[in-house]
Amino acid sequence: MTTAREIMTEGAECIGAQQTVLEAAKKMTRLDVGALPICGEDDKLKGMLTDRDIVVKVLGAGRDPSEVTAGELAQGEAVTIGADDDAAEILRTMSEHQVRRLPVIDGHRLVGIVAQADVARALPDPQVADLLQALSVD
């Protein structure tokens, strides 16, 4: 059975919870990504920050991205997947939580990200179709 470790994109970089949203946006631009994991000083995952979060919760709300920290936008407990969890668990977690990207953890350490595109490349078409249907907005 395919595991998260086998299909994830390795080398995911965090944005620190105390770093600003402006710093996060610059990092997203440099890395050419639409989301970054938010990590605390304890190196534990605090949440995910997306480009949409920046637009809606900061810019659209008239807030200054150089004054808002990434940690302020972390909401609740981060949805993650274990590095050795199988494809069925990846699909179930993405569908249940309506997320397109899952941080992959080994213990409490971030080791990668499984994105919808990773799933599409690694799994058979029927499973991918089911996931796309579950994640599509009505």
Side-chain angles (χ1 to χ4, degrees):
M1 179 59 81
T2 304
T3 66
R5 188 183 310 274
E6 294 171 317
I7 66 171
M8 71 183 187
T9 300
E10 294 184 64
E13 290 190 31
C14 285
I15 189 71
Q18 296 306 314
Q19 290 182 272
T20 69
V21 170
L22 180 59
E23 291 171 297
K26 288 178 180 181
K27 191 170 203 173
M28 285 179 183
T29 300
R30 182 175 50 81
L31 296 172
D32 193 27
V33 297
L36 287 171
I38 303 168
C39 295
E41 290 182 20
D42 57 2
D43 203 30
K44 289 188 179 177
L45 188 66
K46 303 296 183 193
M48 288 290 286
L49 178 65
T50 66
D51 47 9
R52 187 176 193 284
D53 292 331
I54 294 171
V55 170
V56 173
K57 297 175 183 172
V58 179
L59 300 176
R63 298 174 75 190
D64 183 344
S66 67
E67 294 181 7
V68 178
T69 66
E72 289 178 58
L73 300 183
Q75 296 180 344
E77 192 170 326
V79 178
T80 64
I81 194 83
D84 296 317
D85 287 346
D86 66 24
E89 183 66 14
I90 295 167
L91 294 170
R92 185 195 66 72
T93 303
M94 284 182 152
S95 297
E96 181 179 316
H97 295 279
Q98 295 289 291
V99 294
R100 297 172 191 272
R101 301 170 193 93
L102 280 175
V104 181
I105 57 170
D106 191 355
H108 79 275
R109 192 173 62 86
L110 178 71
V111 294
I113 300 278
V114 171
Q116 184 177 342
D118 298 320
V119 172
R121 281 189 294 272
L123 300 180
D125 288 344
Q127 289 179 307
V128 173
D130 289 345
L131 176 63
L132 291 175
Q133 184 174 9
L135 294 178
S136 63
V137 180
D138 292 331

